[in-house]
Amino acid sequence: MTHYVAIVEEEEGKAVGVWFPDLPGCVSAGDSLDEAMTNAAEALALWIDVAKEHGDEVPPPRALTELKRDPDIAEDIARYMVALIEHHPLRQAA
């Protein structure tokens, strides 16, 4: 299975936000950390499925060590929690 690194922004009094550095525009949130993680997995699957349907290239996931060297992401990795989200393709209804 493929895993993507997610940045989890958890601040008191706010929804828990999740975004994927390797997948522009792939974001999610939840009222709790558990809800945010569930929603993030769904957002990841949906983002990839829609990209494939449109014939767009799906960027491969980068390792956390590689992301830490990216100046556009390194500060967020140091500031927020990081999670690995496994990609589960959406099941098509029969």
Side-chain angles (χ1 to χ4, degrees):
M1 261 308 143
T2 302
H3 291 79
Y4 280 84
V5 171
I7 307 297
V8 182
E9 298 184 15
E10 185 175 23
E11 296 181 22
E12 193 167 329
K14 296 182 180 180
V16 179
V18 181
W19 58 278
F20 295 85
D22 289 324
L23 305 174
C26 186
V27 298
S28 186
D31 291 331
S32 67
L33 182 58
D34 287 341
E35 184 178 279
M37 293 296 93
T38 297
N39 293 345
E42 291 174 8
L44 173 62
L46 182 60
W47 193 100
I48 290 173
D49 286 350
V50 168
K52 287 180 178 179
E53 284 176 14
H54 291 157
D56 296 334
E57 183 178 330
V58 176
R62 290 181 283 173
L64 182 57
T65 53
E66 186 177 352
L67 289 169
K68 284 181 176 181
R69 291 190 299 266
D70 184 330
D72 293 329
I73 301 164
E75 186 176 319
D76 288 325
I77 289 174
R79 182 175 179 192
Y80 298 111
M81 183 172 32
V82 176
L84 286 178
I85 306 294
E86 186 175 14
H87 173 255
H88 295 281
L90 293 176
R91 292 196 164 88
Q92 300 296 324

